[in-house]
Amino acid sequence: MADYREAPLASRPKTLDPNEYFNVSPEQRRAEEDRASLRANLKRQYQMQLNNPHRQELIEDPALTRWVYARANPYATFRPTFKTSLLGAMFGIVPLFVLYYVFKTDRDRKEAQIKAGTLERKFSLSS
């Protein structure tokens, strides 16, 4: 930690800030220890349920439940932003206009060639 040099365009990461380690109040340190003990206790309970050889019921994993819900219902957590709106327009609306322009100009070009009599029809069925 002593030889860490900050990058010119980036700030020091929070985990490498000396104030996070040395200038922490006792209340903050106690709160961190309480959170860590709670996490460790939950992990221990889950591991005991998972490794129980006499288990009969399914184990509820809240993280897995949240992940499955998010995969099944993507629109519940969707937030429309400028970027998503722009991407929606780029992939939903712009291709329609591009295809319309391509087909319309090709049709107009062929129609003009037919009127001028310069279109050479390669696959004529009526000859």
Side-chain angles (χ1 to χ4, degrees):
M1 192 166 61
D3 59 347
Y4 177 78
R5 290 185 309 141
E6 292 188 19
L9 297 176
S11 61
R12 181 183 294 255
K14 192 173 184 180
T15 55
L16 294 176
D17 188 12
N19 292 330
E20 287 291 318
Y21 296 110
F22 304 119
N23 297 334
V24 179
S25 68
E27 295 87 25
Q28 287 176 328
R29 193 169 302 231
R30 202 171 308 115
E32 279 184 23
E33 289 173 359
D34 290 343
R35 286 193 295 269
S37 66
L38 183 63
R39 278 195 307 269
N41 193 15
L42 287 172
K43 182 177 178 181
R44 188 182 59 77
Q45 286 178 1
Y46 180 72
Q47 290 292 331
M48 287 183 63
Q49 287 179 1
L50 186 66
N51 296 322
N52 183 5
H54 307 295
R55 170 170 40 110
Q56 297 294 327
E57 69 280 349
L58 286 175
I59 298 174
E60 279 291 321
D61 185 5
L64 185 63
T65 306
R66 284 193 306 269
W67 184 80
V68 169
Y69 177 79
R71 293 282 295 180
N73 304 310
Y75 302 113
T77 58
F78 174 73
R79 291 190 184 109
T81 61
F82 179 73
K83 181 180 176 183
T84 56
S85 302
L86 188 63
L87 285 173
M90 289 294 293
F91 289 104
I93 298 170
V94 171
L96 295 175
F97 284 106
V98 168
L99 287 174
Y100 171 77
Y101 175 76
V102 167
F103 289 135
K104 179 74 172 142
T105 53
D106 186 53
R107 177 186 269 181
D108 291 344
R109 185 183 55 81
K110 277 192 179 180
E111 187 178 336
Q113 287 179 345
I114 290 171
K115 284 183 181 177
T118 59
L119 181 66
E120 184 180 321
R121 297 183 187 201
K122 298 175 184 170
F123 303 109
S124 179
L125 297 176
S126 63
S127 59

